[in-house]
Amino acid sequence: MVPEINPWSSNQTIDIDKLFSEFGIEPIYPVLSELPEIPYFMRRGIVLGHRDYRQIASAIRNKLPFHVLTGFMPSGHPHLGHLMVMKEVVWHVEQGGNGYVTIADREAHAVRGTSWEQCQVFGKEYLACLYALGFEGTTYFQSRNDRLKDLAFEAATKVNFSELSAIYGFSPETDLAHAESVITQVADILYPQVDRQPAPTIVPVGIDQDPHIRLTRGVAHKMRMFTVEERDGYVSVRSKNAPEAALDAIHQVFSHSKKYEGHVDIRGEACADVSRKVREIELTYGGFGFFTPSSTYHIFMPGLTGGKMSSSIPESTIGFFEPEATVRKKVMSGITGGRMTLEEQKRLGGEPEKCSLYLLNLFHMVTDDNELHKIREKCVKGEITCGQCKKETAERVVSFMKAFREKMDAAAEKIRV
Ligand code: TRP
Ligand code: SF4
């Protein structure tokens, strides 16, 4: 059976409550007070779930090293539906994260059949958008990154086919390249820790990518030499596949420790200090010392045509390279939450939650909360017609796109393949 959350399905109507109750994703709201500043996309519930985000909030607060990584599959032009993840990455870079972006050309080629040449063209467009938003950091194409591919191979020693079929619904007919693109994504997520240093890593993604996150968290754990656990009055360090000499080194570095078969018990030390030391020793002995990666999840912006926003339905979305007249036309034909007649609109007001244009404003076009609130009020009180409201939204989108394209042009020389 194909699982409900599946990165390649077209069904994006996922039950939010189920995410929290069944999939172990946690609501982000309680963590927000741990951040020095709350970005609008978290405040407005667009980014609404997470795994292990507290270690990221703490790194931001304490100015400790952390990485932020996400990826884009270059199987089509970038469009408004990709903008949220891009903004999340840029925001985390501004908060002190080391930025990484992967262009998943292996995945596009394996899963969508996109030619390598096309991947290259689309991939560069994604990078242009990122730089236009102020991204700084490392970017790469999967197919050209040898260290990434080596890491993927190493990670593959920890994953078998029954796990892949449990997570993704893979069958005996699934081709190998598809499985390889999955393990390449696992390597993407761990890559910053190999490229730089082990550190907490935040991976902002849409909810559909959670299976990859779960798989990677498992692999990161399996690739560790040791587990460190707080017990009653002591800290226990267990070897999973560490060389004996590494376990000895841990015993030696903590004078109050006792060594047993396969584990060392340490008294009088804080768990965090033991973890840090163990990670250092693991690295000296050729291990990875991975931190288990964290993730945030955002909901998808609905398409202008009502359903999913996708480049396969051109009217549903707006690309960053489309002419002004097309942009205007698409916004003006967007589905609204307006009533059948003007009289009804005045009497009952509109329904912003059902309106693709209101959501476009909420997601991207109006970042000032007061301004958004005013739009909402006018709508629900029936004080504005949809025609007028659409016109205003179209103006916002057009000027956003214009400014964005200028920034893309200005950033053109930063793009590396
Ligand atoms: N699979 C992602 C997509 O379909 C792209 C991707 C590749 C990715 N590697 C990644 C996303 C690493 C997040 C992290 O868009
Ligand atoms: Fe949407 Fe604006 Fe119409 Fe309200 S008034 S339903 S926000 S277009």
Side-chain angles (χ1 to χ4, degrees):
M1 204 194 77
V2 176
E4 195 176 355
I5 302 190
N6 168 346
W8 303 285
S9 90
S10 50
N11 172 20
Q12 303 296 359
T13 50
I14 292 164
D15 182 336
I16 307 279
D17 292 334
K18 241 183 172 174
L19 274 186
F20 297 145
S21 59
E22 283 177 29
F23 295 99
I25 293 175
E26 289 184 52
I28 198 141
Y29 203 67
V31 191
L32 297 186
S33 60
E34 296 172 29
L35 286 172
E37 128 193 5
I38 305 171
Y40 83 87
F41 43 77
M42 290 190 185
R43 238 173 21 234
R44 293 183 185 173
I46 300 167
V47 170
L48 82 181
H50 77 101
R51 289 186 192 273
D52 253 349
Y53 193 69
R54 283 202 164 79
Q55 63 176 344
I56 303 299
S58 150
I60 294 176
R61 254 191 351 263
N62 300 306
K63 306 205 182 315
L64 295 171
F66 74 98
H67 311 300
V68 51
L69 172 135
T70 198
F72 300 93
M73 182 158 61
S75 56
H77 296 290
H79 57 70
L80 279 180
H82 301 110
L83 195 55
M84 185 43 64
V85 161
M86 293 183 182
K87 286 184 176 175
E88 284 182 74
V89 176
V90 171
W91 184 80
H92 281 97
V93 170
E94 286 165 2
Q95 300 302 308
N98 303 308
Y100 282 83
V101 167
T102 168
I103 299 299
D105 55 350
R106 281 192 143 189
E107 184 179 7
H109 191 69
V111 180
R112 302 264 194 259
T114 316
S115 74
W116 297 111
E117 292 74 21
Q118 266 304 317
C119 284
Q120 168 98 228
V121 172
F122 293 139
K124 284 184 178 173
E125 293 180 0
Y126 280 93
L127 296 180
C129 294
L130 278 150
Y131 287 123
L133 289 167
F135 174 79
E136 283 174 27
T138 304
T139 65
Y140 61 84
F141 282 66
Q142 288 175 330
S143 68
R144 311 221 166 173
N145 186 338
D146 283 341
R147 286 164 63 223
L148 176 82
K149 288 188 253 183
D150 288 347
L151 181 58
F153 194 80
E154 201 64 45
T157 65
K158 306 292 182 202
V159 179
N160 62 27
F161 280 100
S162 60
E163 193 174 3
L164 289 184
S165 51
I167 296 183
Y168 301 102
F170 280 6
S171 73
E173 278 69 44
T174 305
D175 57 86
L176 263 184
H178 199 159
E180 283 200 49
S181 76
V182 165
I183 204 69
T184 309
Q185 177 153 352
V186 168
D188 281 329
I189 296 172
L190 299 175
Y191 183 72
Q193 301 197 60
V194 173
D195 187 48
R196 276 184 180 246
Q197 60 173 317
T201 305
I202 175 66
V203 187
V205 284
I207 303 165
D208 64 317
Q209 298 292 306
D210 186 53
H212 297 304
I213 302 289
R214 265 181 286 148
L215 177 65
T216 310
R217 284 167 57 86
V219 171
H221 181 74
K222 286 180 196 154
M223 288 173 92
R224 288 294 311 264
M225 281 180 179
F226 298 102
T227 56
V228 180
E229 271 171 36
E230 181 123 51
R231 297 278 166 81
D232 210 14
Y234 65 100
V235 179
S236 165
V237 180
R238 282 188 176 271
S239 159
K240 292 193 292 177
N241 45 30
E244 198 58 30
L247 194 63
D248 275 339
I250 289 168
H251 176 45
Q252 270 154 29
V253 92
F254 294 107
S255 46
H256 299 295
S257 67
K258 274 207 176 122
K259 186 168 177 258
Y260 303 90
E261 180 69 35
H263 67 112
V264 170
D265 291 347
I266 303 160
R267 287 187 188 274
E269 296 280 349
C271 191
D273 295 333
V274 174
S275 290
R276 190 172 340 106
K277 203 75 214 163
V278 166
R279 187 167 269 120
E280 274 170 30
I281 292 173
E282 187 171 322
L283 284 175
T284 333
Y285 284 85
F288 291 100
F290 288 135
F291 282 79
T292 301
S294 308
S295 49
T296 52
Y297 303 92
H298 64 83
I299 49 169
F300 291 96
M301 181 162 58
L304 295 169
T305 41
K308 196 191 162 199
M309 183 169 271
S310 156
S311 45
S312 57
I313 316 162
E315 299 309 315
S316 74
T317 188
I318 298 170
F320 297 115
F321 297 89
E322 289 184 33
E324 192 176 311
T326 319
V327 173
R328 219 177 275 277
K329 189 162 155 258
K330 283 188 179 182
V331 175
M332 293 308 289
S333 344
I335 286 194
T336 72
R339 306 287 175 175
M340 297 300 276
T341 65
L342 193 59
E343 184 276 321
E344 261 187 14
Q345 178 87 357
K346 281 193 177 148
R347 186 161 49 87
L348 303 168
E351 297 177 284
E353 276 70 30
K354 293 185 183 164
C355 174
S356 70
L357 299 166
Y358 177 72
L359 292 168
L360 183 57
N361 287 316
L362 177 124
F363 267 69
H364 293 297
M365 297 303 151
V366 179
T367 48
D368 180 274
D369 285 352
N370 282 329
E371 198 187 338
L372 186 72
H373 184 72
K374 277 189 205 139
I375 296 173
R376 211 195 128 79
E377 285 285 286
K378 275 201 246 167
C379 171
V380 295
K381 288 187 179 155
E383 291 170 7
I384 187 170
T385 62
C386 288
Q388 179 60 24
C389 187
K390 278 183 180 183
K391 255 192 224 151
E392 290 173 14
T393 304
E395 284 318 313
R396 274 183 216 114
V397 181
V398 164
S399 67
F400 172 86
M401 288 294 178
K402 206 167 158 206
F404 198 63
R405 262 193 299 264
E406 279 165 17
K407 286 188 206 149
M408 278 200 269
D409 291 343
E413 84 281 1
K414 290 191 177 163
I415 300 167
R416 300 249 180 295
V417 178

